[in-house]
Amino acid sequence: MHRYFTDQRHEALRHRVRDFAESEVRPRIAEMEANRSVCHDLSRLIARQGWIGATVHRAYGGMGAGHVAKTLIIEELSRVSAAMGAMVQASQLGVAKIVHFGSEEQKKTWLPAIASGDCLPTIAVTEPESGGHVLGMSSTAVRDGDDYVLNGRKIYVGNSHVGDLHGVVVRTGEGSKGLSAFLVESDTPGFRVGEQQPAMGLHGFSFGELFFDNCRVPAANLLGREGDGLSVAYSSSVLYGRPNLTAVSLGIHQAVLDETTKFCTERQRYGKPLADLGNIKLKLGRIQSRLLLARLSAYHAVHLLDQGLPCDAELMNAKLVNVESALESARDAMDIHAACGLFTDRPVERFLRDAHHIFAPAGTSDIQLLRLGELALGRAQGDWSSRLADLLRLEPSEWPEEDEVPDMAPADPPVTVRTDGTTPTVPGQRTGPAHRHSWFARPR
């Protein structure tokens, strides 16, 4: 599969992330599992590798590497620790709103800090009373001079306890045009993070509550225009949330196969390895088959995303296939391990717990099936991959070469003019600092 969707630069990056995960992440898993609390120092260490900026244009100090690269980063981290894979995907999800809707000033202010690992962004949409029904939210923002005053509560916010910059969608009016999005810094008066609650899995990752009590935010922190909040929420979920969570599931799935084949090779039954039993081979075969199909769907979808091609359906299907198949394979692995799988000295029970956490965010499997059914009936809505294609397409000038000259700036593509006379910010038109990272650079 790698020969279809990745090249030598992707694979060099894959090996670098894998080596980091083995040397820096794996030794801390036992502590994270025992403490069940946020791992602040490891989150920051990972952020400083520059991987949060995988899709940030190189003019802003990002990798400019695209969504295939982002997927393999998350996959390789999740293969070792789904909690840390989830940490990276949550902040990469937080990048989307700025890349898609941020003003030039907002991009120049925040994207370099995100790319360097000095700022971990989040996105906060879900509320206790409305859940996945975005239009049912009740948190508000009221204009007051040069500020907006925010009041309300958000839940299930990825990286809630380590985030520095929260992208918050709240009500500024009625109906679907009455939602707006704001950037809220974590030290803003009137903002606080709720106490972390123990969860089933993803130990070391935080997805908690945010509270806003007369939280005053400058009007300059409005993302896009008033009324763009629904677009911010939906586009981030479809174009980043679904493929990011797909990659976490894929990493878990690979870990399930690796651990289970190792167990079957080492474990003896009837005087020979467990792997020699026919029924065990059948179960391993099902896990392998699911993984091959899951990987194909995951990388095909983000490959289309990098090409700027319509792929909303492929992104939905990839999340559906990967989440369901990872869960099925984890259950098969538990069957194979039998009583051995119930104890925490083996990681297979952790894989199953972690896999369940990926089911609901960015839409449950039923939601993905519902949207795919609408597609089959010709009633599909959104089409975010087409609407934001210019911001998603990986330009040739963004791809770093191993022997590149650091101070060479990419050529600018033709400027696109909107129907309202404004010019969108697209790769090649950005005016941020010309600092860039090579994919081959060693981790800091």
PDB file of all heavy atoms in Angstrom, residues 259-277:
ATOM      1  N   GLU A 259       0.673  -7.419  18.587  1.00  0.00           N
ATOM      2  CA  GLU A 259       0.688  -8.053  19.904  1.00  0.00           C
ATOM      3  C   GLU A 259       0.114  -9.460  19.854  1.00  0.00           C
ATOM      4  O   GLU A 259       0.620 -10.379  20.515  1.00  0.00           O
ATOM      5  CB  GLU A 259      -0.094  -7.194  20.893  1.00  0.00           C
ATOM      6  CG  GLU A 259      -0.116  -7.731  22.315  1.00  0.00           C
ATOM      7  CD  GLU A 259       1.256  -7.774  22.962  1.00  0.00           C
ATOM      8  OE1 GLU A 259       2.125  -6.968  22.568  1.00  0.00           O
ATOM      9  OE2 GLU A 259       1.458  -8.604  23.870  1.00  0.00           O
ATOM     10  N   THR A 260      -0.945  -9.636  19.064  1.00  0.00           N
ATOM     11  CA  THR A 260      -1.604 -10.941  19.024  1.00  0.00           C
ATOM     12  C   THR A 260      -0.766 -11.973  18.293  1.00  0.00           C
ATOM     13  O   THR A 260      -0.693 -13.144  18.717  1.00  0.00           O
ATOM     14  CB  THR A 260      -2.995 -10.811  18.377  1.00  0.00           C
ATOM     15  OG1 THR A 260      -3.734  -9.787  19.043  1.00  0.00           O
ATOM     16  CG2 THR A 260      -3.768 -12.112  18.472  1.00  0.00           C
ATOM     17  N   THR A 261      -0.126 -11.597  17.207  1.00  0.00           N
ATOM     18  CA  THR A 261       0.751 -12.546  16.512  1.00  0.00           C
ATOM     19  C   THR A 261       1.949 -12.918  17.384  1.00  0.00           C
ATOM     20  O   THR A 261       2.387 -14.077  17.397  1.00  0.00           O
ATOM     21  CB  THR A 261       1.232 -11.975  15.163  1.00  0.00           C
ATOM     22  OG1 THR A 261       1.820 -10.681  15.365  1.00  0.00           O
ATOM     23  CG2 THR A 261       0.081 -11.846  14.190  1.00  0.00           C
ATOM     24  N   LYS A 262       2.464 -11.948  18.117  1.00  0.00           N
ATOM     25  CA  LYS A 262       3.573 -12.238  19.042  1.00  0.00           C
ATOM     26  C   LYS A 262       3.131 -13.236  20.111  1.00  0.00           C
ATOM     27  O   LYS A 262       3.837 -14.204  20.415  1.00  0.00           O
ATOM     28  CB  LYS A 262       4.041 -10.933  19.690  1.00  0.00           C
ATOM     29  CG  LYS A 262       5.144 -11.114  20.717  1.00  0.00           C
ATOM     30  CD  LYS A 262       5.483  -9.780  21.384  1.00  0.00           C
ATOM     31  CE  LYS A 262       6.507  -9.963  22.494  1.00  0.00           C
ATOM     32  NZ  LYS A 262       6.773  -8.689  23.209  1.00  0.00           N
ATOM     33  N   PHE A 263       1.945 -13.007  20.676  1.00  0.00           N
ATOM     34  CA  PHE A 263       1.408 -13.902  21.705  1.00  0.00           C
ATOM     35  C   PHE A 263       1.231 -15.313  21.153  1.00  0.00           C
ATOM     36  O   PHE A 263       1.582 -16.308  21.802  1.00  0.00           O
ATOM     37  CB  PHE A 263       0.075 -13.348  22.211  1.00  0.00           C
ATOM     38  CG  PHE A 263      -0.642 -14.233  23.186  1.00  0.00           C
ATOM     39  CD1 PHE A 263      -0.269 -14.277  24.524  1.00  0.00           C
ATOM     40  CD2 PHE A 263      -1.709 -15.033  22.769  1.00  0.00           C
ATOM     41  CE1 PHE A 263      -0.933 -15.093  25.428  1.00  0.00           C
ATOM     42  CE2 PHE A 263      -2.383 -15.851  23.659  1.00  0.00           C
ATOM     43  CZ  PHE A 263      -1.994 -15.887  24.995  1.00  0.00           C
ATOM     44  N   CYS A 264       0.673 -15.401  19.950  1.00  0.00           N
ATOM     45  CA  CYS A 264       0.399 -16.709  19.359  1.00  0.00           C
ATOM     46  C   CYS A 264       1.675 -17.456  18.995  1.00  0.00           C
ATOM     47  O   CYS A 264       1.697 -18.698  18.971  1.00  0.00           O
ATOM     48  CB  CYS A 264      -0.470 -16.554  18.117  1.00  0.00           C
ATOM     49  SG  CYS A 264      -2.139 -15.996  18.468  1.00  0.00           S
ATOM     50  N   THR A 265       2.718 -16.733  18.696  1.00  0.00           N
ATOM     51  CA  THR A 265       3.994 -17.356  18.369  1.00  0.00           C
ATOM     52  C   THR A 265       4.692 -17.877  19.623  1.00  0.00           C
ATOM     53  O   THR A 265       5.322 -18.945  19.612  1.00  0.00           O
ATOM     54  CB  THR A 265       4.909 -16.353  17.642  1.00  0.00           C
ATOM     55  OG1 THR A 265       4.256 -15.893  16.458  1.00  0.00           O
ATOM     56  CG2 THR A 265       6.234 -17.002  17.256  1.00  0.00           C
ATOM     57  N   GLU A 266       4.576 -17.137  20.713  1.00  0.00           N
ATOM     58  CA  GLU A 266       5.275 -17.492  21.956  1.00  0.00           C
ATOM     59  C   GLU A 266       4.498 -18.505  22.792  1.00  0.00           C
ATOM     60  O   GLU A 266       5.095 -19.340  23.477  1.00  0.00           O
ATOM     61  CB  GLU A 266       5.520 -16.225  22.782  1.00  0.00           C
ATOM     62  CG  GLU A 266       6.450 -15.219  22.108  1.00  0.00           C
ATOM     63  CD  GLU A 266       6.542 -13.920  22.875  1.00  0.00           C
ATOM     64  OE1 GLU A 266       5.737 -13.729  23.820  1.00  0.00           O
ATOM     65  OE2 GLU A 266       7.402 -13.088  22.537  1.00  0.00           O
ATOM     66  N   ARG A 267       3.169 -18.451  22.752  1.00  0.00           N
ATOM     67  CA  ARG A 267       2.339 -19.285  23.626  1.00  0.00           C
ATOM     68  C   ARG A 267       2.291 -20.718  23.105  1.00  0.00           C
ATOM     69  O   ARG A 267       2.057 -20.945  21.910  1.00  0.00           O
ATOM     70  CB  ARG A 267       0.918 -18.713  23.690  1.00  0.00           C
ATOM     71  CG  ARG A 267       0.098 -19.242  24.850  1.00  0.00           C
ATOM     72  CD  ARG A 267       0.530 -18.593  26.133  1.00  0.00           C
ATOM     73  NE  ARG A 267      -0.381 -18.885  27.228  1.00  0.00           N
ATOM     74  CZ  ARG A 267      -0.186 -18.463  28.454  1.00  0.00           C
ATOM     75  NH1 ARG A 267       0.859 -17.707  28.743  1.00  0.00           N
ATOM     76  NH2 ARG A 267      -1.038 -18.765  29.415  1.00  0.00           N
ATOM     77  N   GLN A 268       2.478 -21.692  23.969  1.00  0.00           N
ATOM     78  CA  GLN A 268       2.490 -23.099  23.570  1.00  0.00           C
ATOM     79  C   GLN A 268       1.179 -23.788  23.955  1.00  0.00           C
ATOM     80  O   GLN A 268       0.656 -23.597  25.045  1.00  0.00           O
ATOM     81  CB  GLN A 268       3.654 -23.825  24.239  1.00  0.00           C
ATOM     82  CG  GLN A 268       5.037 -23.345  23.814  1.00  0.00           C
ATOM     83  CD  GLN A 268       5.410 -23.804  22.424  1.00  0.00           C
ATOM     84  OE1 GLN A 268       5.200 -24.971  22.060  1.00  0.00           O
ATOM     85  NE2 GLN A 268       5.953 -22.900  21.623  1.00  0.00           N
ATOM     86  N   ARG A 269       0.665 -24.596  23.039  1.00  0.00           N
ATOM     87  CA  ARG A 269      -0.482 -25.459  23.309  1.00  0.00           C
ATOM     88  C   ARG A 269      -0.295 -26.777  22.551  1.00  0.00           C
ATOM     89  O   ARG A 269       0.070 -26.760  21.369  1.00  0.00           O
ATOM     90  CB  ARG A 269      -1.796 -24.802  22.858  1.00  0.00           C
ATOM     91  CG  ARG A 269      -2.360 -23.791  23.828  1.00  0.00           C
ATOM     92  CD  ARG A 269      -2.754 -24.413  25.167  1.00  0.00           C
ATOM     93  NE  ARG A 269      -3.273 -23.409  26.090  1.00  0.00           N
ATOM     94  CZ  ARG A 269      -2.544 -22.683  26.924  1.00  0.00           C
ATOM     95  NH1 ARG A 269      -1.231 -22.849  26.947  1.00  0.00           N
ATOM     96  NH2 ARG A 269      -3.100 -21.817  27.731  1.00  0.00           N
ATOM     97  N   TYR A 270      -0.530 -27.886  23.229  1.00  0.00           N
ATOM     98  CA  TYR A 270      -0.415 -29.212  22.621  1.00  0.00           C
ATOM     99  C   TYR A 270       0.992 -29.432  22.059  1.00  0.00           C
ATOM    100  O   TYR A 270       1.167 -30.064  21.005  1.00  0.00           O
ATOM    101  CB  TYR A 270      -1.458 -29.404  21.523  1.00  0.00           C
ATOM    102  CG  TYR A 270      -2.846 -28.990  21.943  1.00  0.00           C
ATOM    103  CD1 TYR A 270      -3.484 -27.908  21.338  1.00  0.00           C
ATOM    104  CD2 TYR A 270      -3.503 -29.662  22.970  1.00  0.00           C
ATOM    105  CE1 TYR A 270      -4.753 -27.507  21.733  1.00  0.00           C
ATOM    106  CE2 TYR A 270      -4.774 -29.276  23.382  1.00  0.00           C
ATOM    107  CZ  TYR A 270      -5.385 -28.191  22.761  1.00  0.00           C
ATOM    108  OH  TYR A 270      -6.641 -27.798  23.160  1.00  0.00           O
ATOM    109  N   GLY A 271       1.989 -28.859  22.729  1.00  0.00           N
ATOM    110  CA  GLY A 271       3.365 -29.075  22.333  1.00  0.00           C
ATOM    111  C   GLY A 271       3.842 -28.264  21.150  1.00  0.00           C
ATOM    112  O   GLY A 271       4.912 -28.544  20.593  1.00  0.00           O
ATOM    113  N   LYS A 272       3.056 -27.286  20.742  1.00  0.00           N
ATOM    114  CA  LYS A 272       3.479 -26.455  19.618  1.00  0.00           C
ATOM    115  C   LYS A 272       2.907 -25.049  19.802  1.00  0.00           C
ATOM    116  O   LYS A 272       2.009 -24.832  20.624  1.00  0.00           O
ATOM    117  CB  LYS A 272       3.014 -27.060  18.296  1.00  0.00           C
ATOM    118  CG  LYS A 272       1.517 -27.295  18.199  1.00  0.00           C
ATOM    119  CD  LYS A 272       1.166 -28.009  16.904  1.00  0.00           C
ATOM    120  CE  LYS A 272      -0.328 -28.310  16.829  1.00  0.00           C
ATOM    121  NZ  LYS A 272      -0.668 -29.020  15.571  1.00  0.00           N
ATOM    122  N   PRO A 273       3.403 -24.062  19.038  1.00  0.00           N
ATOM    123  CA  PRO A 273       2.910 -22.689  19.193  1.00  0.00           C
ATOM    124  C   PRO A 273       1.407 -22.590  18.922  1.00  0.00           C
ATOM    125  O   PRO A 273       0.859 -23.298  18.073  1.00  0.00           O
ATOM    126  CB  PRO A 273       3.705 -21.896  18.163  1.00  0.00           C
ATOM    127  CG  PRO A 273       4.935 -22.704  17.918  1.00  0.00           C
ATOM    128  CD  PRO A 273       4.497 -24.135  18.060  1.00  0.00           C
ATOM    129  N   LEU A 274       0.760 -21.711  19.658  1.00  0.00           N
ATOM    130  CA  LEU A 274      -0.668 -21.457  19.462  1.00  0.00           C
ATOM    131  C   LEU A 274      -0.969 -21.092  18.015  1.00  0.00           C
ATOM    132  O   LEU A 274      -2.040 -21.410  17.473  1.00  0.00           O
ATOM    133  CB  LEU A 274      -1.091 -20.319  20.401  1.00  0.00           C
ATOM    134  CG  LEU A 274      -2.575 -20.128  20.708  1.00  0.00           C
ATOM    135  CD1 LEU A 274      -3.153 -21.357  21.385  1.00  0.00           C
ATOM    136  CD2 LEU A 274      -2.762 -18.889  21.586  1.00  0.00           C
ATOM    137  N   ALA A 275      -0.012 -20.418  17.363  1.00  0.00           N
ATOM    138  CA  ALA A 275      -0.207 -19.968  15.980  1.00  0.00           C
ATOM    139  C   ALA A 275      -0.373 -21.121  15.001  1.00  0.00           C
ATOM    140  O   ALA A 275      -0.852 -20.912  13.878  1.00  0.00           O
ATOM    141  CB  ALA A 275       0.980 -19.104  15.551  1.00  0.00           C
ATOM    142  N   ASP A 276       0.007 -22.336  15.392  1.00  0.00           N
ATOM    143  CA  ASP A 276      -0.120 -23.472  14.482  1.00  0.00           C
ATOM    144  C   ASP A 276      -1.519 -24.064  14.455  1.00  0.00           C
ATOM    145  O   ASP A 276      -1.822 -24.924  13.616  1.00  0.00           O
ATOM    146  CB  ASP A 276       0.881 -24.573  14.874  1.00  0.00           C
ATOM    147  CG  ASP A 276       2.319 -24.203  14.538  1.00  0.00           C
ATOM    148  OD1 ASP A 276       2.514 -23.175  13.861  1.00  0.00           O
ATOM    149  OD2 ASP A 276       3.237 -24.926  14.968  1.00  0.00           O
ATOM    150  N   LEU A 277      -2.383 -23.638  15.382  1.00  0.00           N
ATOM    151  CA  LEU A 277      -3.754 -24.151  15.421  1.00  0.00           C
ATOM    152  C   LEU A 277      -4.593 -23.495  14.322  1.00  0.00           C
ATOM    153  O   LEU A 277      -4.545 -22.282  14.126  1.00  0.00           O
ATOM    154  CB  LEU A 277      -4.383 -23.891  16.786  1.00  0.00           C
ATOM    155  CG  LEU A 277      -3.703 -24.565  17.986  1.00  0.00           C
ATOM    156  CD1 LEU A 277      -4.449 -24.207  19.272  1.00  0.00           C
ATOM    157  CD2 LEU A 277      -3.646 -26.074  17.799  1.00  0.00           C
TER     158      LEU A 277
END
